[in-house]
Amino acid sequence: MRKIGIVGIGHVGSTVAHIIIAQGLADELILVDKNTAKLAADELDFRDAASLLRNHVTVYAGTANDLADADLVISALGHIDLIKPGGDRFTELKANTPEVQQVGNDLKKVGFNGVLIVISNPVDVITGMYQKFTGLPTNQVFGTGTYLDTARLKRVLGEALDVDPRSVKGYMLGEHGDSQFAAWSTVQILGQDIQTLVSRYNLDLDKIANDARVGGFTVFNGKKYTNFAIAHAAVSLAQLVLSDARSEAIVSHYDDKFKSYISTPAIIGRGGVVQTFNLPLTSDEETALQHSADAISEKTIDYL
């Protein structure tokens, strides 16, 4: 039996739940939120839809006690109402910290020993907090990190070259925030490296990287939240865990070199991050990654 829990049923959490239910990715789905009225309404809304769906998923509102034997928990709690246009995801840190501590302690108390995927921002710092409060091994706790930012890079490049974004390979690395960067040495489109295509298509790499970096705020500025892309990112990673795919994906995971969570590629499977490896980077990219790790640390101190 595949059992998934979602903590935080706001714009993102409810969209994650919708995708899981519509695709039949769980046998049992537990929704947890401190807003009990919203939680009850969403539970009933999903149950009303049950007879219209191809797949059967048992959905119910619960608490941390119901997550003890879950295979996977997704943290989507947050305070996006605190974010201002053009702002910083670290704005949510102070408000999210006590809730993360409570959820983490509750999961530890009930003996949860599955995989925890973190969406909550600032995701690199919050993921580290969850690992600390739950006491889970670092491999069992990871965040979406620049998984979505990488998808945004593929979208921008795909549009510039008039190709399906799934034909684009490569990564945005580092912080899920201002200091992230496009690792151009990793980027290939239809078997060609990016430098081969720059002059042919008159590509402005700085603009492309920036468009990917600010893509989330571009969406936020239009509707004051984001939900669809990040929800699909989280569910995509959840599928890798549940199917023991052992597939390469870029996530925010613990890096012993930086003594913190930061996004570089890893192998994702049933145990979470089941393998890490050294991604070949240029010296400039190595410097940018170190700068990003330093930025995460410095902003954490400033905002706390």
Side-chain angles (χ1 to χ4, degrees):
M1 177 176 287
R2 301 160 300 166
K3 185 173 181 179
I4 299 176
I6 303 172
V7 179
I9 312 299
H11 295 300
V12 177
S14 59
T15 307
V16 170
H18 173 74
I19 296 168
I20 290 171
I21 294 166
Q23 296 184 7
L25 301 179
D27 300 298
E28 189 174 353
L29 181 64
I30 302 93
L31 311 178
V32 179
D33 196 288
K34 63 182 182 181
N35 184 338
T36 55
K38 169 72 161 57
L39 189 60
D42 274 337
E43 177 193 21
L44 182 58
D45 208 0
F46 285 130
R47 286 168 58 194
D48 282 344
S51 66
L52 307 173
L53 300 174
R54 176 181 300 178
N55 304 293
H56 174 77
V57 179
T58 300
V59 183
Y60 62 91
T63 67
N65 290 333
D66 301 299
L67 303 177
D69 60 344
D71 299 292
L72 178 73
V73 169
I74 298 172
S75 169
L77 63 81
H79 290 82
I80 200 165
D81 54 297
L82 299 176
I83 303 291
K84 305 300 180 185
D88 191 320
R89 295 173 178 91
F90 269 79
T91 305
E92 294 186 72
L93 182 56
K94 278 189 177 180
N96 284 348
T97 294
E99 295 182 10
V100 168
Q101 182 172 10
Q102 182 65 60
V103 173
N105 288 338
D106 288 346
L107 290 174
K108 183 176 183 179
K109 182 178 179 180
V110 301
F112 170 71
N113 193 36
V115 172
L116 176 59
I117 298 178
V118 182
I119 302 173
S120 307
N121 278 318
V123 70
D124 305 293
V125 178
I126 294 297
T127 306
M129 287 182 173
Y130 264 122
Q131 190 277 322
K132 174 184 176 182
F133 295 135
T134 61
L136 290 168
T138 54
N139 64 286
Q140 289 177 226
V141 184
F142 67 87
T144 48
T146 60
Y147 190 68
L148 176 52
D149 302 300
T150 294
R152 290 175 174 138
L153 177 66
K154 294 178 180 181
R155 185 260 304 166
V156 177
L157 277 169
E159 291 171 353
L161 300 172
D162 195 24
V163 299
D164 189 315
R166 292 172 296 182
S167 299
V168 180
K169 303 183 186 305
Y171 298 108
M172 295 289 284
L173 299 181
E175 174 197 8
H176 176 54
D178 295 340
S179 67
Q180 66 180 260
F181 63 97
W184 292 117
S185 70
T186 69
V187 175
Q188 283 194 335
I189 301 96
L190 300 175
Q192 300 178 77
D193 65 73
I194 191 66
Q195 296 305 329
T196 302
L197 299 168
V198 168
S199 57
R200 185 185 306 171
Y201 292 92
N202 194 29
L203 298 178
D204 183 339
L205 296 187
D206 289 338
K207 182 180 185 304
I208 288 170
N210 188 64
D211 286 349
R213 185 181 302 111
V214 303
F217 283 104
T218 303
V219 174
F220 174 85
N221 292 343
K223 62 182 188 180
K224 307 311 175 190
Y225 63 91
T226 66
N227 61 320
F228 296 128
I230 185 57
H232 277 281
V235 173
S236 175
L237 292 169
Q239 287 178 288
L240 297 184
V241 173
L242 294 174
S243 64
D244 195 25
R246 303 187 68 85
S247 180
E248 180 181 336
I250 184 162
V251 297
S252 184
H253 62 93
Y254 185 79
D255 191 315
D256 193 57
K257 176 182 177 182
F258 302 113
K259 305 299 180 185
S260 66
Y261 277 80
I262 193 168
S263 286
T264 57
I267 305 300
I268 308 300
R270 187 73 182 182
V273 176
V274 298
Q275 185 179 337
T276 60
F277 56 91
N278 291 323
L279 181 68
L281 298 173
T282 67
S283 59
D284 286 346
E285 289 166 349
E286 290 282 7
T287 299
L289 188 59
Q290 180 65 61
H291 169 73
S292 192
D294 293 341
I296 293 170
S297 177
E298 291 165 5
K299 286 195 286 188
T300 302
I301 295 171
D302 290 343
Y303 277 83
L304 284 179

